[in-house]
Amino acid sequence: MSSTSPRPSTGWSRRELIASAAAIAGGAALLADLSAQDNPAANVADRGSDLAIKSLRGFRVGTKAYLKVETNKGITGWGEITGLDPKVAIALAESLFELLNGENPTRIEHLWQKLYRSHRDMRRGPFMTHVIAAIDVALWDITGKAWGVPVYRLLGGPTRDKLRLYPHAKAHKTGTGGPHPYSGNPDEVQRLVDMVKQTRERVGKDGTVMFDAHCAVPPAMLIQLAAAIEPYNLLFIEEPAVPGNIEVFKRLKEQIRIPLATGERDRTIWGMLPYLHERCIDILQPDCAHTGGISQMKKIATLAEAYFVPLAPHCTCSELGLTASLHASFAVPFLLVHEAYLDGHLMPPGVARKNWEVDAAGYASLPQGPGLGVEIDESQFDKVNADPKRQFKWPVPTLLDGAVRDY
Ligand SMILES: [Mg+2]
């Protein structure tokens, strides 16, 4: 604007401006009085500002890896890596410490981005994302402990008083449990139909039945099977196909009337988006430990909410990773049911001690903090690792003829 241009009128005269400034000054004095007496916000200190990460250590605990992140103020956070040979997981996590050393652990989103985008060629890979997920969970644990609140308080607070879990007497998932041959002969289809029928009888009319196709039933056979199990009123068919070609999911969605669920093998918002965008999934099943931790779970839930797609989170973690997923899930408004195994097959009881209960109806109570509220007993790690049944082995899924298949 040139100096000769007329000034835009503010509609305020000079006298009014002076009067207004005096009023603001008076208001500031009033606020100062309030701060000293009644304003609780005035007493809030930024307890996270001088925190710094000083170490990261990984431990093999059976088939899982636990990460321990320590800070300069004595606050420690824990996270769990699953699905990956623990010695590989630990080596990668400890290598990534180079990017975390001295950083403020409460800058969780910033550190997630720093790790995820650290090497352009490794972005989105499952090895990286599973490890980042555990680090993310440990940072939320530290941040909750620093503020003295459960993690879900930092995520907007609980959206429900209790959260429905399965498996439970009234909610059960049956499935193929392994690679399935491509024959579709009547006996084979009937065997799977009978499994669903028996599950419905077991949980009753007021119970919930789910079928896990485990990416193992070929699409043509799954279409045939889905028509046969329609009378049993399933909540969903899980993993109808192997992720990778959205056209297969679209084809299945066109021909199957039972709701379809998937997501446990997909990672981050970018992995989930095609299912939502192409409208081929009714229920999304992110796994907190696969998909990038609590930070990504919340983002995925928001994305799904916009498409009216509820969550049914997948989880095969011990009580450490499971509790992290519950914190995220309690803060999600649109959620159906959560997978949880508390029978000790994933980890002996007492190694990671949760601070929540399951009621007779199969609902989890709110985890008690601060942080995750999970206590880790490091003295039990050696005992777990000595158990020959708790060694990591790469699976080799084969059919009867020796061919390798998805499972
Ligand atoms: Mg599954």
Side-chain angles (χ1 to χ4, degrees):
M1 187 187 295
S2 76
S3 58
T4 54
S5 302
R7 285 181 182 275
S9 167
T10 60
W12 286 59
S13 71
R14 186 182 166 81
R15 192 187 304 164
E16 283 167 333
L17 281 170
I18 291 167
S20 151
I24 289 168
L30 188 65
L31 272 179
D33 280 351
L34 266 180
S35 302
Q37 294 167 18
D38 305 317
N39 181 7
N43 299 318
V44 174
D46 183 359
R47 283 175 236 167
S49 60
D50 56 354
L51 273 173
I53 297 170
K54 69 170 192 183
S55 74
L56 182 157
R57 287 171 63 202
F59 303 86
R60 177 171 92 81
V61 194
T63 59
K64 313 290 188 187
Y66 282 3
L67 296 188
K68 181 183 190 181
V69 178
E70 291 179 299
T71 63
N72 60 336
K73 299 287 180 187
I75 301 175
T76 298
W78 287 90
E80 177 174 343
I81 306 172
T82 188
L84 183 56
D85 182 343
K87 61 179 181 290
V88 177
I90 291 165
L92 180 52
E94 292 184 347
S95 169
L96 289 171
F97 175 65
E98 182 184 320
L99 299 172
L100 300 167
N101 191 10
E103 287 277 12
N104 187 320
T106 68
R107 297 185 69 193
I108 304 170
E109 180 65 27
H110 169 68
L111 295 178
W112 195 96
Q113 300 289 340
K114 189 178 179 186
L115 294 166
Y116 190 70
R117 299 174 195 279
S118 60
H119 198 297
R120 64 198 305 270
D121 299 335
M122 295 296 288
R123 188 176 183 270
R124 196 174 172 173
F127 280 30
M128 280 294 277
T129 313
H130 285 216
V131 172
I132 292 170
I135 295 171
D136 176 88
V137 165
L139 299 184
W140 279 107
D141 191 21
I142 290 169
T143 305
K145 286 169 179 167
W147 268 273
V149 292
V151 168
Y152 55 76
R153 290 278 170 218
L154 305 171
L155 302 172
T159 57
R160 51 179 54 76
D161 303 325
K162 54 186 184 174
L163 199 148
R164 193 173 185 216
L165 302 181
Y166 77 91
H168 177 261
K170 300 304 287 181
H172 195 80
K173 188 165 79 186
T174 187
T176 58
H180 208 85
Y182 193 94
S183 69
N185 64 44
D187 279 357
E188 200 178 347
V189 175
Q190 192 56 47
R191 185 179 71 83
L192 297 174
V193 174
D194 289 345
M195 285 165 66
V196 173
K197 181 171 180 269
Q198 285 155 15
T199 306
R200 169 54 68 199
E201 286 164 1
R202 193 168 131 193
V203 300
K205 278 185 181 173
D206 60 342
T208 299
V209 176
M210 298 153 275
F211 179 82
D212 193 348
H214 232 264
C215 301
V217 185
M221 184 177 164
L222 188 66
I223 292 165
Q224 190 184 2
L225 173 67
I229 59 178
E230 249 184 57
Y232 302 105
N233 291 304
L234 279 72
L235 182 65
F236 55 72
I237 292 177
E238 175 170 321
E239 290 208 292
V242 186
N245 185 352
I246 200 71
E247 296 301 322
V248 178
F249 286 86
K250 285 161 73 175
R251 174 187 164 204
L252 291 169
K253 183 64 202 152
E254 278 168 15
Q255 299 195 46
I256 294 176
R257 282 151 50 109
I258 297 170
L260 298 179
T262 203
E264 68 182 79
R265 301 191 206 194
D266 298 283
R267 289 157 191 93
T268 75
I269 47 174
W270 297 285
M272 305 294 173
L273 192 58
Y275 299 122
L276 300 167
H277 186 68
E278 299 291 344
R279 291 174 291 176
C280 52
I281 279 296
D282 303 282
I283 293 153
L284 205 55
Q285 299 182 293
D287 184 311
C288 185
H290 298 178
T291 205
I294 291 169
S295 300
Q296 280 293 308
M297 278 281 279
K298 273 291 283 174
K299 290 184 182 184
I300 289 164
T302 304
L303 206 58
E305 184 188 350
Y307 285 86
F308 280 37
V309 169
L311 260 51
H314 173 270
C315 189
T316 51
C317 275
S318 73
E319 290 173 26
L320 172 58
L322 169 59
T323 303
S325 185
L326 289 186
H327 276 276
S329 298
F330 262 108
V332 169
F334 201 25
L335 186 141
L336 295 178
V337 65
H338 194 297
E339 190 170 26
Y341 298 100
L342 296 164
D343 56 5
H345 83 274
L346 295 166
M347 187 67 69
V351 179
R353 284 196 291 268
K354 65 181 175 55
N355 200 352
W356 49 272
E357 304 302 328
V358 184
D359 70 15
Y363 286 81
S365 62
L366 276 163
Q368 301 300 300
L372 297 176
V374 178
E375 274 180 60
I376 304 297
D377 185 352
E378 294 179 52
S379 72
Q380 294 201 41
F381 292 176
D382 287 346
K383 200 173 108 194
V384 177
N385 292 338
D387 183 344
K389 294 194 297 296
R390 297 190 186 274
Q391 311 299 315
F392 181 90
K393 290 268 183 282
W394 291 107
V396 187
T398 47
L399 298 176
L400 289 175
D401 64 1
V404 176
R405 282 292 180 275
D406 286 296
Y407 74 106

